[in-house]
Amino acid sequence: MAGRVKWVTDIEKSVLINNFEKRGWVQVTESEDWNFYWMSVQTIRNVFSVETGYRLSDDQIVNHFPNHYELTRKDLMVKNIKRYRKELEKEGSPLAEKDENGKYLYLDFVPVTYMLPADYNLFVEEFRKSPSSTWIMKPCGKAQGKGIFLINKLSQIKKWSRDSKTSSFVSQSTKEAYVISLYISNPLLIGGRKFDLRLYVLVSTYRPLRCYMYKLGFCRFCTVKYTPSTSELDNMFVHLTNVAIQKHG
């Protein structure tokens, strides 16, 4: 970008503004020419809606790509991964190779997953193949471990469905969608505890695709050692690494 960067934000956070000003960037309004717009999720949906038809020029960048929820919502991410697998199968890609049991050899980074209530019958069919298995249920549009629980009996799903229908704050017509995934019973552990890694990637352009991976990240741990025991299915300090949960552990 030639000259000084012109920036706009609708999120008045000092960490943003201080960093922009430290670089000598110039603040402008959204109606003026801008190079960098740090937008909230709702703003970016409004700006890049079908109605506006807005497109970025070569000297403009934003902090979210417009339809990022296709990856950040759990149900849409599963939908897109399944679509990706099907496309590779059609192309005859070696990446789509399966073993004798019909399981992917290279695209196995997501466990068997269904959407509820839409895929309930498919889930039941899969559950009955291995009735001793454990599954994890997650609401599609929530974060910080909210609403997550584990089940190992079909009766638990029926109880969840009944409870959510009779709940005073969730009507049947607006019942929240969930994803249900086969729980990984033998996860990689550090010091006997579950963990996850957070790594940062900056995508500067999609056509062509160009990504920069930051060398540092961080790790989140459970405060209680992992056990596959069914007696600990309700203990989220064993199963979820979310800071919002583990800070109380």
Side-chain angles (χ1 to χ4, degrees), residues 41-60:
V41 171
Q42 192 54 52
T43 299
I44 210 155
R45 286 182 186 172
N46 294 339
V47 170
F48 293 95
S49 67
V50 176
E51 291 76 29
T52 67
Y54 190 85
R55 292 292 178 269
L56 293 173
S57 62
D58 289 344
D59 64 348
Q60 289 183 312

Side-chain angles (χ1 to χ4, degrees), residues 160-172:
W160 161 77
S161 183
R162 275 199 312 273
D163 290 349
S164 61
K165 283 176 186 173
T166 57
S167 167
S168 59
F169 56 88
V170 181
S171 71
Q172 189 167 351

Side-chain angles (χ1 to χ4, degrees), residues 197-200 214-219:
L197 293 171
R198 287 291 167 110
L199 303 172
Y200 293 90
Y214 192 55
K215 287 182 180 177
L216 301 178
F218 66 94
C219 197

